[in-house]
Structures are given as C-alpha cells and as structure tokens.
C-alpha cells in the first residue's frame, strides 16, 4: 500500500496543527486579565528611566 505513508503523514501534520491551534486558544484565555474581566491596562501610566 503506497497510500498508507502519505495518509499517516497527512494525519500527523493535521493533528500537529490542531494541537497548536488548541494550545494557542487555551493560552489566550489563561491570562488573568481575560479570566477576571479586568482591562488590559490598569490606568497607571508610569514612565521609567531608560
């Protein structure tokens, strides 16, 4: 069967992409600001010396 290696390669690539997409979505919602409904900036704008 010459089709089997190609099919396995496609399945492996598809699953790898799926894992990356799921990990990206999970990471984006793991931020406390998203989970706790806080704004991205807290209103305090501090200037730091370079």
């Amino acid at each position: 069967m010459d089709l089997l290696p190609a099919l396995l390669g496609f399945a492996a690539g598809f699953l790898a992409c799926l894992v990356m997409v799921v990990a990206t979505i999970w990471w984006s919602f793991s931020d406390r600001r998203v989970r706790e409904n806080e704004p991205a900036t807290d209103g305090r704008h501090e200037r730091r010396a370079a």
Side-chain angles (χ1 to χ4, degrees), residues 4-15:
L4 186 60
L7 193 58
L8 288 175
F10 174 78
F14 180 79
L15 289 176

Side-chain angles (χ1 to χ4, degrees), residues 15-33:
L15 289 176
C17 288
L18 184 65
V19 166
M20 285 190 287
V21 168
V22 169
T24 302
I25 292 172
W26 184 24
W27 173 75
S28 70
F29 283 103
S30 68
D31 191 359
R32 286 181 304 185
R33 293 172 296 188

